[in-house]
Amino acid sequence: MDQADQTPALENSQSFSFKAETKQLLNILIHSLYKDKEVFLRELLSNASDALNRLRFEMLTNNAVLDPEAELCVRISVDKDARLITIRDTGIGMNKDEMIENLGTIAQSGARKFLEAAKEQKADFSQVIGQFGVGFYSVFMVAEWVKVNSHSFNPDAEPVTWYATGEDNFQVAPGDKTDRGTSIEIKLKEDAAEFANDYRLKEVIRKHSDYIGFPIYMGEEKDQVNKQTAIWRTSKQDVTTEQYNDFYRQLTLDFEEPLMQIHYVTDAPVQIYALLFVSGKSERAVFSLRKDDGLKLYSRNILIDEYSKDLLPEYLRFVQGVVDSEDLPLNVSRETIQASGMMARLKKVLTGQVTRELENLAKNDADKYELFWKEFGAFLKQGVAANQPDAEKIYPLLRFKTNLKPENWSSLEDYVGRMPAEQKTIYFILGEEVKSALRSPHLDYFQNKGTEVLLLTEPIDSFMLMGLHKYKDFELKNVAMADEAAAAKPTDAEEEKNKIADVDFGSLVESFKLVLGERVTDVRSSARLSQSVARLVEPEGSLNPEMQRVYKYLGKDFEVSKKILELNQSHPILKSLVSLDTESALKNLVIEQIYDSALLVEGLHPDPSSMVARVQELMQAALSNPGSVSQDPA
Ligand code: ADP
Ligand code: MG
């Protein structure tokens, strides 16, 4: 093969250097042993389709385009003997600056990421090159040289030609293309000669690009090669799980299978084709193709918005996918579409559908729903907090751990189903984590009675409670609230016997008040405690604990309100305390420690390490009288 054949002359050309990352990428692609070289065609067709889409979008508002009557399509021609293929589209085209920028000098963070990913994955990474925004370069897996001729849609633009062999440089020169669009001429390498063949190309198109939304023709043929149906417009029974997963991978570059997909087609109340996915992880993968939340919005095959955030409420922002509607007005700007009532209707329908499908998942595959809940539960809780109007729709999706079932996830319906007939309230407790919540003195009474209590241990829970006051007819109540404490429980005979006599208890309360002074609003007896010595409760009329937490998390300037210290009149520690002198230093130490411990279990202690010195003193006292320690404290 002679030199002239390899390097067609490009008159009046300027030479440019590829960016460093691009050079490296090209080097890998040229010398790759990738089996799936055929994906180059998918990438070029995907670019052609993007260019056609952009042109179609432009034409919604601009009549002054070159060749307005030209069919929006791709045509591929083959010269078998010369090992040449040419891919022509009638899309948006490129002018000189765009060509230099898009095909050569743009800073390629995508190239760098591709290089990193290709190193790690070892697999045939050519498969996904398009996801890195460097798909065009995959042509160098098969090309000896590539020539791109383009004429922008803008009638005043000059045609331009780009030429490269995959070495460090590319050339740009004035072109001679007179009609709109881009034409890519590829001289195939010897080991890629198989692609200089209509039959082989058709096979590749049907395999990888069947869904492309514009007709693809071979040579002068009139019948298009691709079926041109978007997967979301295909009816459910014709799509395999494999195809769904493929589509999801192409959309997101997530190599894990999605947790669930929602394929939804309806004509009423609005026309919708939607194909939505919930991924297995709440965090977007580093290499994810999706750079933002939001759904791809099409109308009649025209991409209106790459990241539409108006189709689902914010709390469902983890849902990814495509929505296509024939009902959106087309001959108006994006902004008007957003403003039109149609978006709100689409949102309503889609939100309903996603919620329903999640409920179905919970019903039909509890294990999978648990995976979902662990990853995305916080989003739904946020939805309850923020979306007052449709918060109720989310209630059935919520899951909780409870004191009676700390290992399992229970729904509110489960909880209500297990309630004894006389119970009219759903109880909850706030805590930092399940273990400490289970040890809370507020639970004593409920544990003894075998009453179920929801364990709310995430920061978001306090916010969620702002939108969850009632489920069905049952009000939610914090077990730490004082009015609950006021409802005395009938003490059994055993306890009555153990109780400290009221007179003694009265003077003990005085000692507590003396020592704690301003730090508490009151000290009193509680009928709610059995294992615990004491607990702190909110005085009537103060901000409830969930709101106090909300303020705390929001970093609002906010003083924790003073609380009432309630004592267990039957507790052995207090009994022993009664017998100590009022003046006793040990008595004061114990009182301080009881108060600090109560603060600690509430998660309110400002400086827990400050207790160390006192605990040491207490140990010292205990050791000087070892016989007094009767049992294992746990
Ligand atoms: P991506 O398609 O992800 O942007 P590519 O490497 O495939 O990355 O393409 C780079 C850019 O080159 C495209 O974004 C587009 O601006 C331009 N381009 C490629 N092919 C065409 C085409 N057929 N018509 C118009 N512009 C194109
Ligand atoms: Mg591309």
Side-chain angles (χ1 to χ4, degrees):
M1 193 181 307
D2 66 23
Q3 196 60 26
D5 182 42
Q6 283 193 18
T7 317
L10 213 54
E11 279 170 32
N12 303 325
S13 73
Q14 271 175 286
S15 186
F16 296 86
S17 181
F18 284 116
K19 288 273 165 188
E21 301 90 5
T22 311
K23 285 182 200 168
Q24 240 179 308
L25 173 77
L26 287 170
N27 196 36
I28 288 187
L29 289 172
I30 289 169
H31 299 108
S32 71
L33 296 173
Y34 289 139
K35 286 193 304 299
D36 292 318
K37 289 175 189 281
E38 65 189 31
V39 300
F40 86 92
L41 187 59
R42 180 189 65 195
E43 293 308 325
L44 297 184
L45 290 174
S46 139
N47 286 348
S49 165
D50 289 348
L52 288 161
N53 252 322
R54 288 174 57 202
L55 189 271
R56 189 152 64 171
F57 196 82
E58 182 68 31
M59 284 179 74
L60 295 177
T61 51
N62 180 1
N63 295 323
V65 305
L66 184 65
D67 300 336
E69 305 298 331
E71 182 189 4
L72 298 182
C73 67
V74 184
R75 204 168 271 281
I76 305 180
S77 54
V78 176
D79 181 339
K80 192 166 183 171
D81 298 332
R83 284 208 317 274
L84 279 175
I85 55 181
T86 306
I87 301 168
R88 274 176 293 150
D89 67 64
T90 50
I92 192 107
M94 286 177 273
N95 62 27
K96 183 178 168 189
D97 290 346
E98 288 163 341
M99 193 97 109
I100 294 169
E101 168 104 351
N102 295 339
L103 302 185
T105 60
I106 196 166
Q108 287 293 7
S109 63
R112 202 168 50 243
K113 283 188 180 159
F114 177 83
L115 292 169
E116 284 164 17
K119 213 182 294 164
E120 273 166 33
Q121 295 277 337
K122 297 206 175 71
D124 194 343
F125 227 71
S126 58
Q127 276 296 338
V128 292
I129 185 168
Q131 327 292 3
F132 293 91
V134 291
F136 172 77
Y137 297 122
S138 66
V139 73
F140 288 105
M141 293 195 292
V142 298
E144 216 167 84
W145 53 255
V146 178
K147 204 161 138 190
V148 181
N149 294 297
S150 196
H151 195 306
S152 160
F153 73 99
N154 182 349
D156 302 330
E158 298 290 336
V160 57
T161 299
W162 179 101
Y163 170 85
T165 59
E167 308 277 298
D168 291 355
N169 299 306
F170 63 91
Q171 265 99 57
V172 173
D176 52 9
K177 192 167 168 52
T178 51
D179 52 348
R180 184 192 68 219
T182 303
S183 154
I184 301 183
E185 198 181 345
I186 301 158
K187 169 75 178 184
L188 294 165
K189 293 197 263 196
E190 259 171 275
D191 67 358
E194 62 182 292
F195 297 111
N197 173 317
D198 284 16
Y199 181 79
R200 178 78 177 103
L201 291 178
K202 282 184 186 175
E203 184 182 70
V204 178
I205 293 167
R206 292 201 182 103
K207 182 166 166 198
H208 293 294
S209 309
D210 210 33
Y211 60 88
I212 293 270
F214 300 88
I216 303 171
Y217 302 105
M218 288 304 289
E220 299 306 313
E221 286 174 24
K222 293 226 162 29
D223 294 329
Q224 66 188 74
V225 181
N226 57 328
K227 277 213 286 298
Q228 205 190 323
T229 31
I231 181 172
W232 59 86
R233 283 174 170 252
T234 312
S235 85
K236 257 189 197 180
Q237 51 275 29
D238 296 338
V239 189
T240 64
T241 309
E242 190 49 40
Q243 284 173 309
Y244 282 131
N245 290 349
D246 260 4
F247 180 80
Y248 171 75
R249 200 163 47 231
Q250 286 176 26
L251 179 78
T252 61
L253 192 57
D254 182 354
F255 286 95
E256 307 284 320
E257 281 178 16
L259 202 71
M260 69 184 291
Q261 82 248 345
I262 300 173
H263 190 173
Y264 180 55
V265 178
T266 184
D267 285 326
V270 271
Q271 198 287 323
I272 293 183
Y273 301 101
L275 181 52
L276 308 177
F277 298 92
V278 175
S279 63
K281 287 268 170 292
S282 55
E283 283 195 17
R284 240 196 307 276
V286 194
F287 295 125
S288 175
L289 178 64
R290 304 297 288 166
K291 298 303 171 212
D292 197 358
D293 298 328
L295 302 175
K296 274 181 112 139
L297 174 62
Y298 289 85
S299 174
R300 299 170 223 198
N301 266 329
I302 302 186
L303 182 63
I304 304 286
D305 195 350
E306 181 74 41
Y307 298 105
S308 174
K309 294 189 177 61
D310 302 313
L311 291 165
L312 285 174
E314 211 201 333
Y315 68 87
L316 291 177
R317 63 185 178 278
F318 57 86
V319 176
Q320 312 190 69
V322 173
V323 174
D324 187 347
S325 173
E326 307 260 317
D327 285 347
L328 284 172
L330 255 192
N331 45 1
V332 285
S333 70
R334 276 169 224 230
E335 287 65 34
T336 336
I337 288 177
Q338 310 292 354
S340 84
M342 190 52 67
M343 288 301 282
R345 293 171 68 188
L346 285 173
K347 180 174 179 174
K348 188 152 183 262
V349 173
L350 288 169
T351 308
Q353 186 60 18
V354 171
T355 324
R356 254 193 309 282
E357 299 254 359
L358 285 171
E359 267 187 75
N360 286 341
L361 181 70
K363 226 177 282 160
N364 303 328
D365 190 344
D367 290 345
K368 216 172 197 185
Y369 190 77
E370 193 172 314
L371 290 178
F372 165 80
W373 177 255
K374 284 185 192 151
E375 280 299 321
F376 301 101
F379 288 79
L380 299 187
K381 288 175 177 180
Q382 189 203 339
V384 173
N387 276 62
Q388 305 292 3
D390 61 351
E392 278 177 35
K393 285 214 200 97
I394 313 174
Y395 293 168
L397 298 174
L398 300 174
R399 293 293 179 275
F400 302 93
K401 299 210 161 150
T402 78
N403 60 333
L404 302 188
K405 297 194 172 288
E407 308 295 335
N408 300 49
W409 291 104
S410 307
S411 65
L412 289 170
E413 201 49 44
D414 295 334
Y415 179 101
V416 167
R418 292 193 287 258
M419 268 169 25
E422 67 276 12
Q423 188 179 333
K424 297 291 174 238
T425 307
I426 297 174
Y427 294 104
F428 68 85
I429 183 166
L430 295 174
E432 305 292 319
E433 32 135 20
V434 169
K435 262 195 207 149
S436 66
L438 283 173
R439 271 199 297 265
S440 165
H442 301 301
L443 266 191
D444 276 11
Y445 169 79
F446 297 87
Q447 294 284 51
N448 278 354
K449 268 185 58 176
T451 305
E452 191 157 24
V453 177
L454 306 177
L455 308 174
L456 304 186
T457 54
E458 286 184 7
I460 185 84
D461 290 337
S462 306
F463 293 85
M464 172 189 67
L465 288 166
M466 299 193 296
L468 176 60
H469 302 292
K470 227 177 173 191
Y471 175 69
K472 297 200 163 158
D473 284 337
F474 309 106
E475 237 171 279
L476 273 84
K477 245 181 209 166
N478 190 334
V479 295
M481 287 305 280
D483 62 333
E484 281 301 310
K489 98 185 145 148
T491 40
D492 55 34
E494 182 67 16
E495 274 177 20
E496 200 55 46
K497 203 170 72 202
N498 283 332
K499 228 170 155 182
I500 302 168
D502 283 345
V503 221
D504 293 340
F505 189 73
S507 63
L508 187 62
V509 163
E510 286 315 308
S511 306
F512 268 86
K513 285 182 176 169
L514 209 65
V515 173
L516 297 176
E518 292 286 291
R519 285 177 282 172
V520 290
T521 58
D522 197 8
V523 180
R524 67 186 185 202
S525 172
S526 167
R528 281 294 171 107
L529 299 168
S530 41
Q531 282 83 26
S532 311
V533 191
R535 69 167 185 172
L536 289 164
V537 297
E538 299 295 328
E540 296 300 334
S542 66
L543 200 58
N544 70 34
E546 23 321 351
M547 280 316 289
Q548 293 191 28
R549 271 170 196 252
V550 167
Y551 283 135
K552 187 175 138 195
Y553 290 125
L554 291 178
K556 285 241 174 84
D557 211 10
F558 163 75
E559 287 261 322
V560 173
S561 68
K562 282 187 202 163
K563 311 215 187 290
I564 301 169
L565 183 68
E566 290 192 342
L567 299 174
N568 179 352
Q569 203 170 340
S570 312
H571 202 281
I573 290 185
L574 296 187
K575 263 189 182 162
S576 311
L577 211 53
V578 167
S579 58
L580 288 183
D581 264 355
T582 321
E583 303 301 304
S584 155
L586 185 58
K587 188 172 189 170
N588 290 357
L589 281 181
V590 172
I591 289 175
E592 288 282 3
Q593 189 56 42
I594 287 174
Y595 175 68
D596 269 11
S597 303
L599 274 180
L600 196 67
V601 293
E602 292 301 318
L604 294 174
H605 202 298
D607 181 14
S609 65
S610 66
M611 298 190 309
V612 171
R614 186 187 316 116
V615 170
Q616 276 175 3
E617 279 188 73
L618 289 169
M619 285 193 286
Q620 196 65 51
L623 288 170
S624 65
N625 186 10
S628 68
V629 177
S630 58
Q631 56 173 17
D632 182 49

